[in-house]
């Protein structure tokens, strides 16, 4: 392993996220990837979150003092001379816009599918978000040790539902109790599952047998072997072949099979990630009013805030802003400026590093640092040395939960407006003002966002308000010519609103209503995400 020169440090960063529908096995895969890379010693640590805390580094103190849980936000490990930053994407109950925003800080993603279920609704949404930036996606089909759908059906599902070319890199021999392992299509070698899960460690690669070897018949019985050969032939002839460029452009996904729980295929996935995942990419920006591209090798330190985590104790105003570095070599104590000229000395940044690596005070493009602040930093902000750089910003995503704010004391309407606007600017929830009537509609992609907002409106602004169901299912930003938007708005007065920037939004009663409008109004676009900035 050669040690890259310091100037090339950024080039060995691989920053990625794992996306999946709940219960497909994201947590189990994360644990096993980290175990496999040797970064954590005992399984269960990811799940246990804060229980096994390290005590030395600053960020742990920050967590303890201020009750902010950041330990699992970025998990870092080294493998094959590369430094991987695995960004945690909140799931299940804590699913929120942060989950989407985190994907804007990743250079690639692993999509985990449950082999018995294929593409599920949340996977679909997360892939849509990856597509906004054409993030390359690797697919891991998990739970092959359980009865699975046919591999053909799984690949078709990816192709049909996600409009992604699915290039099988492996072909499975059976599933469930009969699961024998997978054929590595490139090397024409069989990786056996062997059912010896007690002996297998996550770091082990599966034993390989050449497909031409007579030994194979002892591993895969006759009939199954014929089926495997047939499947592999079909895969080679009919399925899209892996193509690096299509993968990097986000049009094609290489597909791997395995069982995270039984440590099968995880090491191979780790190797695949090292082989194909891209490093930090150039970021579009505006510099002094001119469009520009910031290269990861540029010397000036610059990055964007993709997530702000509030203190769990509402009486503290402390926040941690997660800054994804896009260029330069960050050093502790550096003074950085927002695009509005606000200067911040980053004296106690939260740096995430592999456990066995010396604690360094530096970070590079591709890395994420946590910047403690008292509310000065917001989602989408740029920080740079000169203050002259502005990145495109983090988009807003079409909310799926819409609530009407109902005041106990109608005289507080102005206060409420201010509170909701400020929380929307911060990125906690979104705010919509219907064109007709005086309601405030708040929007979120996850229930937790609504709860956090409710709590903060009550404790920080002292306003008594209830959030009741609104008769809308989702919202879309409407773009097109002014005249066409006006015609549409005229016909849909009761469903039109403005967002916090005054942009027109269509509040739809159902997904069907959205597709119907798209068909009826071909000159308009109904966007699921809006770039802010
Ligand atoms: P997450 O919700 O996506 O994080 O999913 P988890 O990792 O928590 O897994 C959900 C459930 O599936 C748990 O009960 C896991 O033990 C189980 N599971 C995960 N991976 C596998 C696998 O490869 N095989 C089997 N049989 N079960 C698995």
């Amino acid at each position: 392993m050669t040690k890259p020169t310091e100037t090339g440090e950024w080039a060995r960063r691989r920053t990625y996220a794992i996306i999946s529908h709940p219960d497909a096995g994201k947590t189990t895969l994360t644990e096993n990837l980290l175990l496999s890379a040797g970064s954590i010693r005992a399984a269960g640590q990811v799940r246990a979150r804060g229980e096994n805390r390290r005590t030395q580094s600053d960020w742990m103190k920050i967590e303890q003092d201020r009750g902010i849980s950041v330990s699992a936000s970025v998990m870092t490990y080294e493998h094959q001379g590369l430094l991987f930053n695995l960004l945690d994407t909140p799931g299940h109950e804590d699913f929120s816009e942060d989950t989407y925003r985190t994907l804007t800080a990743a250079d690639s993603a692993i999509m985990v599918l449950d082999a018995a279920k294929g593409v599920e609704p949340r996977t679909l949404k997360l892939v849509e978000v990856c597509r906004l930036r054409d993030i390359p996606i690797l697919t891991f089909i998990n739970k092959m040790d359980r009865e699975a759908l046919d591999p053909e059906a799984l690949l078709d599902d990816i192709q049909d539902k996600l409009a992604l070319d699915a290039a099988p890199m492996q072909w499975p021999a059976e599933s469930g109790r009969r699961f024998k392992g997978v054929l590595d299509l490139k090397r024409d070698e069989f990786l056996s599952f062997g059912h010896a899960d007690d002996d297998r460690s996550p770091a082990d690669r599966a034993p390989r047998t050449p497909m031409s070897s007579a030994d194979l018949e002892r591993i895969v019985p006759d009939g199954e072997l014929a089926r495997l050969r047939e499947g592999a032939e079909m895969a080679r002839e009919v399925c899209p072949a892996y193509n690096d460029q299509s993968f990097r452009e986000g049009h094609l996904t290489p597909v791997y099979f395995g069982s995270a729980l039984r440590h099968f295929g995880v090491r191979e996935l780790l190797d695949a990630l090292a082989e194909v995942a891209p490093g930090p990419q150039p970021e579009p920006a505006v510099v002094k009013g001119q469009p520009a591209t910031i290269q990861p090798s540029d010397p000036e330190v610059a990055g964007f805030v993709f997530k702000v985590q509030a203190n769990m104790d509402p009486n503290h105003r402390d926040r941690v802003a997660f800054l994804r570095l896009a260029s330069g070599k960050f050093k502790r104590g550096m003074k950085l400026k927002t695009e509005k000229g606000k200067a911040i000395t980053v004296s106690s940044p939260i740096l995430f590093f592999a456990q066995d690596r010396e604690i360094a005070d530096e970070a590079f493009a591709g890395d994420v640092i946590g910047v403690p602040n008292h509310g000065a930093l917001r989602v989408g902000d740029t920080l740079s040395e000169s203050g002259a750089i502005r990145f495109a910003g983090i988009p807003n995503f079409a909310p799926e939960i819409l609530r009407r704010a109902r005041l106990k004391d109608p005289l507080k309407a102005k206060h409420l407006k201010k509170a909701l606007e400020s929380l929307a600017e911060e990125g906690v929830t979104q705010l919509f003002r219907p064109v007709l009537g005086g309601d405030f509609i708040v929007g979120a992609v996850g229930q937790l966002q609504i709860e956090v907002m409710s709590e903060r409106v009550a404790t920080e602004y002292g306003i008594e308000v209830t959030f009741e169901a609104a008769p809308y299912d989702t919202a879309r930003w409407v773009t097109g010519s002014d005249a066409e938007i006006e015609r549409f708005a005229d016909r849909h007065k009761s469903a039109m609103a403005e967002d916090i920037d005054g942009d027109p939004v269509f509040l739809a009663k159902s997904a069907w209503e959205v597709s119907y409008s798209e068909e009826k109004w071909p000159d308009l676009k109904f966007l699921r995400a809006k770039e802010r900035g």
Side-chain angles (χ1 to χ4, degrees), residues 246-400:
S246 300
F247 164 67
R248 285 184 175 235
E249 289 172 355
H251 305 313
L252 174 145
T253 179
V255 180
Y256 302 83
F257 297 82
S259 164
L261 189 68
R262 312 284 291 269
H263 313 316
F264 180 80
V266 176
R267 181 63 195 240
E268 286 74 14
L269 184 66
L270 201 66
D271 293 344
L273 200 66
E275 195 182 326
V276 302
Q281 299 298 299
E283 287 288 341
V286 173
V287 179
K288 294 184 186 140
Q290 298 298 316
T293 302
I294 304 299
Q295 299 292 337
S297 55
D298 286 353
E300 180 178 354
V301 172
F304 56 89
V305 175
F306 64 93
K307 165 169 139 174
V308 174
Q309 206 158 62
N311 197 320
M312 286 186 266
D313 174 355
N315 295 320
H316 283 255
R317 283 210 153 254
D318 302 321
R319 315 249 190 275
V320 171
F322 288 82
L323 185 76
R324 149 83 201 221
L325 292 176
S327 63
K329 174 172 161 182
F330 171 84
K331 286 194 172 138
R332 182 189 296 266
M334 225 170 199
K335 194 190 253 179
L336 298 176
K337 291 183 199 143
T338 66
E339 65 270 32
K340 295 194 181 95
K342 221 183 283 170
I344 291 186
T345 302
V346 193
S347 48
S348 50
I350 301 163
L351 301 157
F352 303 94
F353 289 112
Q355 209 165 39
D356 46 6
R357 196 162 170 250
E358 259 174 60
I359 295 291
D361 284 347
E362 298 166 354
F364 300 85
D367 286 335
V368 170
I369 62 173
V371 183
N373 69 96
H374 299 289
L377 294 176
R378 298 191 161 167
V379 168
D381 279 353
T382 297
L383 279 179
S384 66
E385 286 174 272
S386 64
I389 300 175
R390 182 162 65 82
F391 290 109
I394 307 286
N396 275 132
F397 300 97
E400 279 153 52

Side-chain angles (χ1 to χ4, degrees), residues 22-28 47 92 142-143 145-146 259-261:
D23 290 333
K26 187 177 82 170
T27 312
T28 311
R47 216 176 287 271
H92 291 227
N142 190 31
K143 305 197 188 182
D145 59 316
R146 294 242 190 105
S259 164
L261 189 68

Side-chain angles (χ1 to χ4, degrees), residues 168-476:
M169 306 305 278
Q170 303 168 332
W171 200 259
E174 312 297 317
S175 69
R177 284 170 184 278
R178 286 172 293 110
F179 182 51
K180 299 297 183 306
V182 299
L183 163 58
D184 175 338
L185 289 166
K186 195 159 106 192
R187 290 165 59 174
D188 210 30
E189 289 170 348
F190 191 76
L191 283 65
S192 33
F193 177 55
H195 293 270
D197 52 309
D198 289 343
D199 299 322
R200 202 194 332 260
S201 117
D204 291 342
R205 293 188 175 89
R208 287 174 176 263
T209 312
M211 284 300 282
S212 53
S213 163
D215 288 349
L216 200 64
E217 278 159 37
R218 282 196 282 124
I219 304 168
V220 189
D222 235 8
E224 293 179 4
L225 191 57
R227 214 167 17 243
L228 173 66
R229 288 194 197 282
E230 212 174 284
E233 196 181 311
M234 197 282 305
R236 287 192 173 108
E237 281 172 14
V238 181
C239 296
Y242 176 76
N243 173 297
D244 210 41
Q245 192 184 342
S246 300
F247 164 67
R248 285 184 175 235
E249 289 172 355
H251 305 313
L252 174 145
T253 179
V255 180
Y256 302 83
F257 297 82
S259 164
L261 189 68
R262 312 284 291 269
H263 313 316
F264 180 80
V266 176
R267 181 63 195 240
E268 286 74 14
L269 184 66
L270 201 66
D271 293 344
L273 200 66
E275 195 182 326
V276 302
Q281 299 298 299
E283 287 288 341
V286 173
V287 179
K288 294 184 186 140
Q290 298 298 316
T293 302
I294 304 299
Q295 299 292 337
S297 55
D298 286 353
E300 180 178 354
V301 172
F304 56 89
V305 175
F306 64 93
K307 165 169 139 174
V308 174
Q309 206 158 62
N311 197 320
M312 286 186 266
D313 174 355
N315 295 320
H316 283 255
R317 283 210 153 254
D318 302 321
R319 315 249 190 275
V320 171
F322 288 82
L323 185 76
R324 149 83 201 221
L325 292 176
S327 63
K329 174 172 161 182
F330 171 84
K331 286 194 172 138
R332 182 189 296 266
M334 225 170 199
K335 194 190 253 179
L336 298 176
K337 291 183 199 143
T338 66
E339 65 270 32
K340 295 194 181 95
K342 221 183 283 170
I344 291 186
T345 302
V346 193
S347 48
S348 50
I350 301 163
L351 301 157
F352 303 94
F353 289 112
Q355 209 165 39
D356 46 6
R357 196 162 170 250
E358 259 174 60
I359 295 291
D361 284 347
E362 298 166 354
F364 300 85
D367 286 335
V368 170
I369 62 173
V371 183
N373 69 96
H374 299 289
L377 294 176
R378 298 191 161 167
V379 168
D381 279 353
T382 297
L383 279 179
S384 66
E385 286 174 272
S386 64
I389 300 175
R390 182 162 65 82
F391 290 109
I394 307 286
N396 275 132
F397 300 97
E400 279 153 52
I401 302 174
L402 290 155
R403 295 274 181 275
R404 190 200 312 262
R406 179 78 67 191
L407 269 174
K408 286 245 165 69
D409 176 359
L411 294 176
K412 289 256 170 92
K414 259 200 190 139
H415 284 84
L416 180 65
K417 179 169 182 279
K418 195 163 164 276
L420 296 179
E421 277 175 358
S422 127
L423 291 171
E425 269 176 24
E426 213 181 289
V428 176
T429 40
Q430 297 183 46
L431 178 63
F432 304 102
R433 291 294 306 270
V435 175
L436 301 177
D439 282 339
F440 296 102
I441 305 283
V442 293
V445 308
Q447 182 58 31
L448 184 75
Q449 281 177 264
I450 303 280
E451 281 161 29
V452 168
M453 180 211 43
S454 244
E455 176 70 27
R456 290 186 57 185
V457 168
T459 55
E460 290 175 28
Y461 297 88
I463 306 172
E464 274 192 82
V465 57
T466 51
F467 292 93
E468 55 188 40
Y472 314 111
D473 180 64
T474 185
R476 291 287 186 275

Side-chain angles (χ1 to χ4, degrees), residues 13-29:
R13 266 41 183 188
R14 296 291 181 272
T15 303
Y16 74 102
I18 302 183
I19 58 175
S20 68
H21 191 81
D23 290 333
K26 187 177 82 170
T27 312
T28 311
L29 180 66

